[in-house]
Amino acid sequence: MTFVKACGQPAGMVGTRRQQAIRKALRALVPGIPLADAETVLALAGRVQMKALPPSSALWLALGSHVRHAHTDYDHLLAEGYERDAARFFVADAIDDVLSGWGCQRSILDEEEGEQAH
């Protein structure tokens, strides 16, 4: 079951405005995300460390982090001794594949190219 099917509008309106904004952004960004993954991403986006960020930024960072750790070999690469940036490079395509499969139109690779330009 996906997050969008499980959380219709009335159920999605519970919580603070920030929580509502994060849930709304999640439904729009990755409409096909499985419910278990959505719950984890929402918890990560709602952490105290994310409060200073706009809801959409907190969501994007939480989504990328969750997919990187739960759906790729990132942690395995780190355990093998890869540097963080190298491990992220090697799993970027896998992250995008997962996000794309959930209906996401954004790319982790676009974000990384933008960071390198600065």
Side-chain angles (χ1 to χ4, degrees):
M1 176 174 285
T2 65
F3 178 70
V4 171
K5 289 180 183 174
C7 292
Q9 279 301 103
M13 298 310 291
V14 178
T16 66
R17 285 186 196 156
R18 180 175 177 80
Q19 290 167 334
Q20 291 172 19
I22 291 171
R23 281 195 298 272
K24 182 178 178 181
L26 182 65
R27 284 191 300 272
L29 185 62
V30 282
I33 188 171
L35 183 57
D37 291 294
E39 290 172 342
T40 302
V41 170
L42 290 171
L44 290 170
R47 293 174 63 193
V48 173
Q49 299 90 326
M50 299 287 210
K51 294 282 185 192
L53 299 173
S56 60
S57 296
L59 173 65
W60 182 246
L61 291 174
L63 184 62
S65 175
H66 170 67
V67 173
R68 182 171 49 252
H69 290 282
H71 295 279
T72 72
D73 292 330
Y74 178 73
D75 292 323
H76 179 73
L77 293 171
L78 291 178
E80 286 185 355
Y82 282 84
E83 295 291 327
R84 187 184 77 138
D85 288 340
R88 285 180 178 212
F89 172 80
F90 287 119
V91 300
D93 286 332
I95 293 171
D96 274 347
D97 288 346
V98 171
L99 294 176
S100 177
W102 291 345
C104 183
Q105 301 299 311
R106 285 179 74 178
S107 169
I108 290 290
L109 297 172
D110 293 342
E111 302 298 317
E112 290 175 355
E113 289 170 7
E115 289 175 7
Q116 292 174 358
H118 293 134

